[in-house]
Amino acid sequence: MNSASKNACLATCLWTIGLFSSGISSATPTEELNGVGNLMDFLDEPFPDVGTYEDFHTIDWLREKSRDTDRHRKITSKSKESIWEFIKSLLDAWSGWLVMLLIGLLSGTLAGVIDLAVDWMTDLKEGVCLSALWYSHEQCCWTSNETTFADRDKCPQWQKWAELMTGYTEGAGVYLLNYFLYVLWALFFSFLAVSLVRVFAPYACGSGIPEIKTILSGFIIRGYLGKWTLLIKTVTLVLAVSSGLSLGKEGPLVHVACCCGNLFCSLFSKYSKNEGKRREVLSAAAAAGVSVAFGAPIGGVLFSLEEVSYYFPLKTLWRSFFAALVAAFTLRSINPFGNNRLVLFYVEYHTPWYMAELVPFILLGVFGGLWGTLFIRCNIAWCRRRKTTRLGKYPVLEVIAVTGITAVLAFPNPYTRRSTSELISELFNDCGALESSQLCDYINNPNMSRSVDDIPDRPAGPGVYSALWQLTLALVFKIVITIFTFGMKIPSGLFIPSMAVGAIAGRIVGIAVEQMAYHHHDWIIFKNWCRPGADCVTPGLYAMVGAAACLGGVTRMTVSLVVIMFELTGGLEYIVPLMAAAVTSKWVADAFGKEGIYEAHIQLNGYPYLDQDEFTHRTLATDVMRPRRNEPPLAVLTQDSTTVEDVETLIKDTDYNGFPVVVSHESERLIGFVQRRDLILNIKNARQKQDGVVSNSVVYFTEDAPQIPASNPQPLKLRRILNLSPFTVTDHTPMETVVDIFRKLGLRQCLVTRSGRLLGIITKKDVLRHMAQMMNQDPESIMFN
């Protein structure tokens, strides 16, 4: 739920006092006669598990909000009784902040460990440090006194595998041996990753963000945020990234952080027994995950608010900020990159941008939007083929095949052989006097005597042109291979590959603009701002703008994307180019389809997720409600004439999540709504522990059961599990209003009445199927409740 609908409590209050009175009602006549004012008569639950939900079902946000309100009211009243109860109330109030602290500490620590492990294992494919086996290439050469400026990546302590085995450093045989071992290590890492996922934690695959979005919207997926998933996802994420596949660790880190949040929720009954409160914690955990993924605490909070969260009250905003802060501080303390920065590709530019450069920036935005559209359509088509053909039966073989192709094609090109994070770092960097990259092979003027930070534009040397060809090949390779990589049965993030595609394209455009400005500085577009001997164009800035454009085109992020990129670079003056590229990429991508990659995967998997698109079709509630014509009548319970056997038969013969309760079958005047799981648990408990309850016992949902003869069996009173104020609409309520209510209040179902008489029911799945049907899509693609 976005900013217009973040506070379900406020909307509930507005609805209760009658602002939705035009065709919408919540209080029944029977409720008014009994003087019942609470949302639910849910105090004094008889035993645990009442009010919980089945796997692959949707929670009722109003119900969870009511339960938490009752719990808080009870704690507040008890706090006045004694000092101990007052202390308990304070502990309850501060438990949320404690959970945020623990989430930040654990997610930051895991992110630091993952970064260190990925750095070491990625370099392990090429060689080993003889002085300390656990050192990466860079760490190994830090301690070397023989390292020179020209060969800063070479040191005696670090040896490639062919050199270690044969003693030679050059030659075709050495190259082929290093090539073979690179591919072999990649295959070993990916095979180990997919095997661990398949055997121990199938939920540890993929990015995790589509499922996190669905869970935060109120869906139940048992085990997806479990301890075992956390362990396997952490280990296999290191293996998958180290294998050299075109994937990143940033998206899966959101899943890891949410697993940490779910773990700590189980320690506090305030969160473990209330699914709505648990999702507030998970929203904050998602912010902490992005914080440690990019080193962007503020961007993490905005990402959670803009992209993944469904219900985001102001209190959750504060706690998300605190969790992201603690996570970033923890990662900074570990210092996994050894540069006293939170991220590997932190850069600082020293040249301002000029208004004329908005044209190439916007063109990069157009490229990002087109790339996002191409990627989403191709990847979804491939993933659908994987789900509907025999290909999906061989996930291990698919991963091995894609890894082998990736490694074989990546090794010859130095820009695809290295890790994607290192590639982005090099593309973002400005060419200073100390840079030895091939991208900085410019022809220097021997008479140049300027400061290091103000090097003028120079003609490109042979190294730059060679790098441009290699980058062009790398761009094509990344575009194609990422389509087949995302969605495989291993942890796979999309942020870094998308940024790499944009950064490569941006660097190529940046170099082209730089050389045009140098060789044609007398052109009218360059004349006013680019004089000979000036530092006019920064190609690294174009790479950064291109990365933002492509990431925005794939995910449709805007505000959070710009803030994340700003936090990565630390340059306030580059916000406008980033905003221009992000907005352009979103506009272009939206012209071909409104959904981003995560929404597309949610739809592909059939999850019951209500997006924020406007519903403009002129249909009514009666067109969507069940039962429809030629269907059996609605399954209902009566308030005082249904036996235990009748209830058990109804439960056995149907698979509905709950049943409306009416006065009688003749009047069908609505009393309330009761959940299927609560009925099963209460009847089972009554048969075991309550004497006299048999199949002939009458089930009463009224306040007081009438006097019955002694010969009759003991009645079963279940008013305590009855929701006395189910949300209702009239049969002539526009579906536009119904869809908006389901979004803003997080409803699980809504009853349809006319003058207090029950006509039918609309569930969240019914709404989703109707929306799919109106958009000429398959309504049966919605698979879960």
Side-chain angles (χ1 to χ4, degrees), residues 27 30 58 61 107 135 195 215 225 227 266 281 316 321 358 392 396 427 458 533 641 644 650 653 686 707 714 730 760:
T30 306
T58 305
W61 285 91
S107 58
Y135 276 179
S195 300
I215 290 172
L225 302 177
K227 306 179 187 68
S266 62
V281 173
T316 303
F321 185 79
L358 278 178
V396 177
L427 294 173
R458 298 156 290 169
S641 61
V644 171
L650 187 62
D653 294 341
Q707 294 294 329
Q714 181 75 20
T730 68

Side-chain angles (χ1 to χ4, degrees), residues 677-735:
R677 180 176 175 82
D678 294 348
L679 277 174
I680 295 173
L681 292 172
N682 275 272
I683 292 176
K684 180 181 179 181
N685 182 68
R687 283 188 176 276
Q688 293 177 349
K689 299 180 180 179
Q690 189 173 339
D691 294 335
V693 174
V694 293
S695 297
N696 293 332
S697 297
V698 178
V699 178
Y700 287 95
F701 293 98
T702 55
E703 189 74 36
D704 298 309
Q707 294 294 329
I708 57 175
S711 59
N712 287 11
Q714 181 75 20
L716 177 59
K717 294 189 292 184
L718 295 181
R719 184 180 175 84
R720 71 180 67 190
I721 66 169
L722 179 65
N723 182 355
L724 290 170
S725 58
F727 204 95
T728 61
V729 297
T730 68
D731 53 338
H732 289 291
T733 304
M735 273 307 296

Side-chain angles (χ1 to χ4, degrees), residues 542-553:
Y542 285 75
M544 185 179 70
V545 172
C550 284
L551 183 54

Side-chain angles (χ1 to χ4, degrees), residues 125-126 160-168 171-185 411:
K125 292 186 298 182
E126 298 190 27
K160 294 187 176 181
W161 291 113
E163 181 184 357
L164 188 63
M165 293 177 180
T166 64
Y168 296 99
V174 171
Y175 180 84
L176 291 175
L177 182 57
N178 282 326
Y179 198 157
F180 173 76
L181 291 174
Y182 178 91
V183 175
L184 195 64
W185 276 110
F411 186 85

Side-chain angles (χ1 to χ4, degrees), residues 210 213 375-377 379-381 383-384 486 554 556 594-607 609 611:
K213 285 182 65 124
F375 175 81
I376 292 172
R377 292 190 176 182
N379 180 254
I380 292 300
C383 290
R384 184 175 287 111
F486 187 71
V554 171
R556 310 300 164 85
K594 294 291 185 182
E595 57 188 15
I597 185 63
Y598 302 129
E599 290 78 15
H601 273 270
I602 287 173
Q603 184 178 342
L604 178 67
N605 293 325
Y607 295 138
Y609 181 81
D611 56 30

